[in-house]
Structures are given as C-alpha cells and as structure tokens.
Amino acid sequence: MTLRALLIGAQTFGLSGVHSDVQLMEQVLHGRGFEDIRTRVDDGACYHAIIESLDALARDTGPQDGVVLYYSGHGSLQDRPDAAEQARARRSPYLHYLVPTDLSDTTRGDFRGLLVEELTAAVRGLTAITPNVTVVLDCCHAGGAVRDPQTAVRSVSQDVPPDAALARADRLFATELSAPDPSVVRLTACQRHERAYEAPSLRRPGKRHGLFTEELAHLLDATREHPVPWAVLMAQVQDQVAQRMPQRPDLGGPHSARLPFSTTTTAHARQLPLLWRGHRLVVPGGAVLGLAKDDVVALTAPGEAPDEAPRAEVTAVLGADAELEPPPESPEPDVRAVLVRTHVRKHIALDGDGPLVDALRPALSRSAGLAEAGPVDRPFATVRTRDSSVVVTDRAGFAFRAPVPDDPSYLEHLLSLLEELARGERLRALPDGVGEARLDAEVEAVFERLSHGRPPQRLRSGDRLTEGDQYRVQVVNHSPYPLFLWLLDVGLSGRTALVTHDEPSGCLLQAAGRAGDVWNSGWVDIYWPQDVPYDGPRPETLTVLAADRAADLSSLATPGWLAQRGSVPACLERVAGEILTGTRDARPALADGFRYKVLRCDTEVEPRPPGDDTKDGGLGT
C-alpha cells in the first residue's frame, strides 16, 4: 500500500499564501507517512497540467493505496444563463469551477477553468480503483472572492466567454462536487455560497496561509501519534476558523468516523484516545481537540453505548493534554473517551485593569459560555478600560455599545452584554445537523439586496450593505417532502432577531412541484440601532434554518429559552443550548429528533454616506 497525494496550488488574482499552503500540506503529509507527494504550482497548476496530473495519479494508483487531492486557490460560482431551465431539469443552475493559473487564456472555444464536474469525474475514477480517497479544497465556492481579510473583497469572475465551459459541463452529465462518490471524504474550506480567506500565519512568522489549511495542518500534525476521526478533528477546525473569520469549513461524505487517510473507522465518531500517565488518566492532545476544564466524557468499551458508560470529568488541562478525574475502577486498555458535554466557550480579551475588570475575571472563570482569552485564543470581543470607563469592542475595534463607568456595580450589565453577543456569535457559526440530526434534503436559499435607485441584486457572503438598504430571501424546496423554515438575523449590534416571528413554529415549504414550494421573506429593512455607536462596517449574518418538522424557535432570539424547554424537540434542545448557554450536549440524536440544515449569508453593514436622508425603520438588530 502506498499513500499518494496530488497538491495543486494556483496562486492567482491577488492571492499570496497558496504556495505556502502547498508547502505546509506537503510537510504534514510526509509526517503522516505519505511516500508519493506530487506538488503542482505556477505552470504546473494550469488547466491542462492539472488534467494530466489527475490522469497520471489514476494510472499510478493501486487498489490498496490511499489518495489525497488537495487544491489551494480561487474558486468561482456563477449563475448559468440557462439557470431556470437547468433547475427544472434537476441539474445545477451554476457554472462552478476552480481557477487554474491560466484562466485568463480562456477563449470562446477553449475554457481554462476546472469545472467541478471534471473534478468529480476524476475522483470517481480514483474511487473505482481504491476506496481510500480524500479531497481537500481550500478555495472560495462563492461567485469569486479573495481569501484575504486585510483587503477589499475581489472577484475572480473574469470576463471570459462561458460558451466552452457550458458545453463541457453539459457533455459530462455529472453531479456537482457537493454530491460525489459516497465513499469520498470531502474537506472544504467553506460552504458552496461562502468565501474562504487567507491571512498572516499565526504559527509561521512571515508566511501567509489559507485559514482552513493552517488549522487543518496544525491539527493533523498534533494528532499524528494519536489519530482521531475526521469528525472530531474537523469540529475543532470549524471552531478555530470561525473565531477568526465568517467562514465555515465543512466535512462531507458518510465516513465522519474514519481515521484520516485510511478506511479504518471507529466505533463512535466522537471517540478520543485515553492513556495512563503515572496515576493520571489523560486524553492526549485533548486541549488541541477542544476539551476544557469541567467538560465530561463517557468511558466506552467497544460496542458500548455512551449513554450506558461511566462518566469522567476533565479536571485540568496540562499542556496539550486533558487530565480526567480517575474513575473508581481502572478502565480497560481499549476503552475510549466519548464527549458527552462540553462548554463551548467564546473568548473575551481583557485590555487594561480596573475595578470592573477585576470583578469580571472571576465571573468569566465561572461562566459556561464565556472565558478570558489566553495567548493562543482568538477573542471575538475585547473589554477595554480607558479613562475611568469600560467599553466592549469587536474584532475590528468598533464599540458594541457606549462605554460604562469603571465601577463593579456594572458587572451584571457587562456580563449580560457579553452573553448576548456570544449567543449571536454561536448562531453565526451554527453548523448543519449531524448524524441523525442531519437533514438530507435539497433546499436552496437565494439572498438579494435592494439599494436606493438600483434594481435588486444577488447578495452573497462577503458583500457589503449600507444602512437603509433592504434584503430578502427566497427559499426553494427541491426535495420530495415538505419542510419548515425560519429566518434569523444576527444584526450589526450583535443581537439576534427571528425575522419570521409571526410564524415561530416555522414557515411551511411544500414539496417540490407543489404550490408553495417557494417561500419569499419580502423586503426587510436594515437600520442602525440608536444604542450602537455610528461607525463600521459591522457584520450582519442572515441564517435560514430548514427542518423536517415544526417547532417553536422563538426562544433562539431571546434569553428565555431555559423557561421554555418543554416546547423544544429533544434533539433541538442541544442546538438551542449551544446557542444560548454555550453548553453542547454531544449525546447521539434521538431517532425521532429534529433534522435540520443551515443556509447562511454573512455580510457587513456600513453607515449611510453623509447627506443620505434615508428614513429609519425595519429590523434594527
């Protein structure tokens, strides 16, 4: 058996961290035992060179080999001219492709983009040889974007003739990359309509990396001696990336319980290794995997359900290891830890000292959902003490609210604000349901914006709105059964609003082909709340939650969830709990649980230009 990898880096249109991504992945895969690693950058990442490299990889791969396909660069997603006709035929309405280094050489008869249909066909050719195939894509899947949070968003949608691309896609008759061969493990930097970013490295001074590549490589390296399933590793990657930018990596394929780069699966997708070190029971690398003090794990033997296993609490984090409270009897050697409850903390940085911050520190240490940021944590908010006052600022340095006096009597007010902001942050990062909570339904959300004097335009993640603009969402059900949906908005103030508050139990979306299979929100106003300082831009996240049944979700936008638990489905209790309190219960979803998926658009709102007299009104979040 040979482990082989093809690493493609197309550094185009302003990107500067792609070559570093390829070098980093090459190092990590060498450490993971890969013997045949083929890197393709510059001219080696042009369209025809990529096709030749994929063909050569297939020729050299044997039935027992493991294969990784990795791509770093730009991705593009554009509406086809015949989008409506394609949708009626149950085919993709998008022209979706990766961007080789020679895309600009496209002519009307020669398209130089790598269509996802072509990549899918290449992957299926590999899975016909070996079941051990992993695809890793660190690129934008929206309509062109740069992976650089320090510059303006740039589009890779060059003025290239689409004729040859459309003809090539029609010839292939393949499904999109979102539904490739079921045996493929797919790791993507973001969801299809979202953007991916690159930034200066946190661990390699002077280097730039894709956020996704850097976190994935770090965790693959940290778990090299004690491998954990993809589901465990990717959950931490998702959390770390989301703390830096509005970007949600995704894990696809049915084998989330697989160990990386193998066909070996664990008995439970959330299993963690256990070791005895002296008289201490530890989860090696547990801190890297997200464990923290007071988290609870079940000590499961092979074939044992986590609900029936004894519990152990994390008593300390020593270096990278999580130390557990030893159980009354020593566990057997093959026992593993399964996460049962973890406090999903959002980190707060403290800048300056004073009476209010001195009172805040011990309060944060007792909080289930908040924690003071350490040297390597990425805070979503900073509490700053200046001139006898305290203010909470966001990642860009803008104040969430007006300053308050540096007086301990304002502690409850400050904690309430931080917890409210943390709830919004958790909703911004809410992933799709997993396991039995996963909604396997084809549903599409189209976001649009309306600016003064302009016709409606498509609104994509990364776009910027202006105060006074309006947005609307159209949701289309392509599945054969009815669904329910909710529209939530985490506004520029950090508050969460249930836009569909008039139907808190969900708006009915009929099955495809029936009247009512399309839902439209109508136009929703964006305005600047009076208690938010007038500067920006500030993030605004629009979230559509689609599910297979009705449920009253009004509590997701209010702090009163704990008093209303009885109205929330058992499986959704864990979702609401994670958003509202920061506590995630990782027990398996109930068979009759709430199945859901998330469709999201991350935007920014900036103040209206001077002299614009647009009237106030609307959502005001």
Side-chain angles (χ1 to χ4, degrees):
M1 176 187 127
T2 301
L3 292 177
R4 308 179 189 276
L6 174 59
L7 312 181
I8 302 168
Q11 191 157 283
T12 61
F13 305 112
L15 296 180
S16 58
V18 169
H19 292 174
S20 297
D21 285 349
V22 171
Q23 293 167 2
L24 180 58
M25 286 302 297
E26 184 178 14
Q27 294 172 11
V28 169
L29 294 180
H30 268 306
R32 282 277 186 160
F34 279 72
E35 303 170 25
D36 179 5
I37 302 180
R38 311 171 187 198
T39 62
R40 301 290 186 267
V41 297
D42 296 326
D43 290 345
C46 70
Y47 172 72
H48 289 293
I50 292 174
I51 293 297
E52 291 171 2
S53 297
L54 290 170
D55 290 343
L57 182 64
R59 287 195 302 270
D60 297 338
T61 296
Q64 303 302 316
D65 292 349
V67 177
V68 169
L69 294 180
Y70 170 85
Y71 171 83
S72 174
H74 274 303
S76 187
L77 183 72
Q78 303 172 28
D79 293 331
R80 289 177 55 130
D82 57 350
E85 179 182 338
Q86 292 293 314
R88 285 193 295 270
R90 301 287 178 174
R91 298 179 61 189
S92 172
Y94 305 109
L95 185 62
H96 191 183
Y97 58 91
L98 307 183
V99 180
T101 54
D102 60 341
L103 177 70
S104 298
D105 295 335
T106 292
T107 65
R108 190 167 298 279
D110 183 13
F111 179 66
R112 297 294 181 89
L114 182 70
L115 296 172
V116 295
E117 289 89 350
E118 294 177 278
L119 184 58
T120 299
V123 171
R124 285 182 168 168
L126 288 167
T127 55
I129 302 169
T130 174
N132 186 4
V133 177
T134 303
V135 177
V136 185
L137 300 178
D138 192 348
C139 61
C140 297
H141 284 205
V146 68
R147 303 181 311 157
D148 187 349
Q150 297 184 353
T151 67
V153 173
R154 295 192 293 268
S155 173
V156 302
S157 299
Q158 300 296 294
D159 187 16
V160 294
D163 308 58
L166 297 173
R168 190 192 301 164
D170 291 340
R171 284 197 305 271
L172 288 168
F173 290 104
T175 57
E176 289 191 65
L177 189 60
S178 57
D181 189 290
S183 64
V184 176
V185 173
R186 304 184 311 280
L187 314 177
T188 56
C190 58
Q191 298 180 5
R192 185 171 64 178
H193 290 280
E194 293 183 337
R195 303 180 188 272
Y197 297 86
E198 71 175 25
S201 173
L202 296 177
R203 302 177 180 88
R204 308 175 78 202
K207 298 287 188 180
R208 291 178 66 82
H209 286 297
L211 303 188
F212 172 61
T213 291
E214 181 166 29
E215 293 302 334
L216 176 63
H218 170 64
L219 287 165
L220 283 171
D221 200 45
T223 58
R224 180 173 53 187
E225 299 299 326
H226 302 284
V228 297
W230 279 123
V232 176
L233 189 143
M234 281 297 292
Q236 188 66 7
V237 171
Q238 291 165 339
D239 181 64
Q240 294 300 312
V241 170
Q243 289 186 43
R244 297 181 66 182
M245 289 299 295
Q247 173 183 335
R248 273 160 293 277
D250 202 9
L251 169 63
H255 298 298
S256 59
R258 270 193 186 182
L259 296 178
F261 315 125
S262 75
T263 55
T264 302
T265 60
T266 61
H268 191 285
R270 299 293 295 178
Q271 281 192 342
L272 301 170
L274 283 174
L275 291 177
W276 280 101
R277 290 187 177 164
H279 297 290
R280 297 185 297 118
L281 183 63
V282 302
V283 177
V288 177
L289 299 173
L291 287 181
K293 188 175 182 296
D294 300 328
D295 291 351
V296 176
V297 299
L299 305 179
T300 63
E304 182 180 20
D307 286 344
E308 302 170 354
R311 300 290 194 263
E313 186 173 296
V314 178
T315 58
V317 175
L318 306 175
D321 297 336
E323 182 175 328
L324 304 180
E325 178 183 20
E329 298 182 1
S330 298
E332 298 297 325
D334 54 354
V335 164
R336 295 290 177 116
V338 174
L339 190 61
V340 174
R341 190 187 71 239
T342 180
H343 297 288
V344 187
R345 296 168 174 83
K346 290 297 178 183
H347 290 97
I348 311 294
L350 304 181
D351 181 11
D353 294 307
L356 183 50
V357 168
D358 289 344
L360 179 62
R361 277 198 171 91
L364 289 179
S365 68
R366 296 189 297 269
S367 172
L370 301 172
E372 181 178 357
V376 298
D377 296 319
R378 303 179 184 99
F380 82 94
T382 300
V383 178
R384 303 183 187 276
T385 302
R386 297 288 188 274
D387 301 324
S388 300
S389 65
V390 174
V391 64
V392 180
T393 62
D394 63 14
R395 293 183 178 96
F398 297 119
F400 283 105
R401 304 289 189 274
V404 298
D406 188 8
D407 185 328
S409 65
Y410 283 86
L411 176 61
E412 290 305 317
H413 168 83
L414 185 59
L415 278 174
S416 177
L417 172 61
L418 293 173
E419 289 167 353
E420 177 181 59
L421 297 174
R423 287 195 294 271
E425 285 294 303
R426 294 187 189 101
L427 181 57
R428 292 187 200 273
L430 180 66
D432 289 337
V434 296
E436 293 189 29
R438 176 184 176 86
L439 178 66
D440 187 17
E442 186 179 355
V443 57
E444 179 184 12
V446 177
F447 299 86
E448 291 183 297
R449 65 177 295 180
L450 185 65
S451 297
H452 305 293
R454 299 178 182 177
Q457 296 177 309
R458 187 72 172 266
L459 180 64
R460 301 183 188 276
S461 285
D463 288 347
R464 185 167 290 182
L465 297 162
T466 302
E467 179 199 8
D469 285 355
Q470 296 177 305
Y471 73 83
R472 71 180 176 189
V473 185
Q474 179 177 276
V475 184
V476 184
N477 187 4
H478 298 293
S479 68
Y481 46 85
L483 300 172
F484 293 85
L485 65 89
W486 299 258
L487 175 59
L488 297 109
D489 186 330
V490 182
L492 60 91
S493 67
R495 300 186 182 99
T496 300
L498 179 63
V499 182
T500 50
H501 59 85
D502 56 330
E503 294 187 77
S505 293
C507 303
L508 177 62
L509 196 61
Q510 293 288 1
R514 297 187 59 184
D517 63 350
V518 178
W519 177 86
N520 196 311
S521 69
W523 291 105
V524 181
D525 295 331
I526 296 288
Y527 82 94
W528 210 275
Q530 293 183 350
D531 61 349
V532 178
Y534 202 64
D535 49 21
R538 296 169 181 262
E540 182 116 6
T541 299
L542 317 176
T543 300
V544 172
L545 188 69
D548 63 347
R549 63 199 63 193
D552 185 353
L553 301 191
S554 57
S555 57
L556 292 184
T558 66
W561 171 76
L562 291 178
Q564 305 173 28
R565 288 188 62 162
S567 65
V568 181
C571 181
L572 191 62
E573 287 183 1
R574 294 190 287 283
V575 180
E578 179 175 347
I579 294 172
L580 297 176
T581 70
T583 301
R584 181 175 64 239
D585 180 350
R587 289 174 297 173
L590 300 179
D592 61 348
F594 184 92
R595 296 171 178 83
Y596 66 95
K597 70 187 310 180
V598 177
L599 303 101
R600 176 186 286 110
C601 184
D602 291 299
T603 69
E604 289 185 327
V605 179
E606 56 187 358
R608 76 174 69 125
D612 188 328
D613 60 354
T614 305
K615 66 179 180 179
D616 288 337
L619 192 60
T621 60

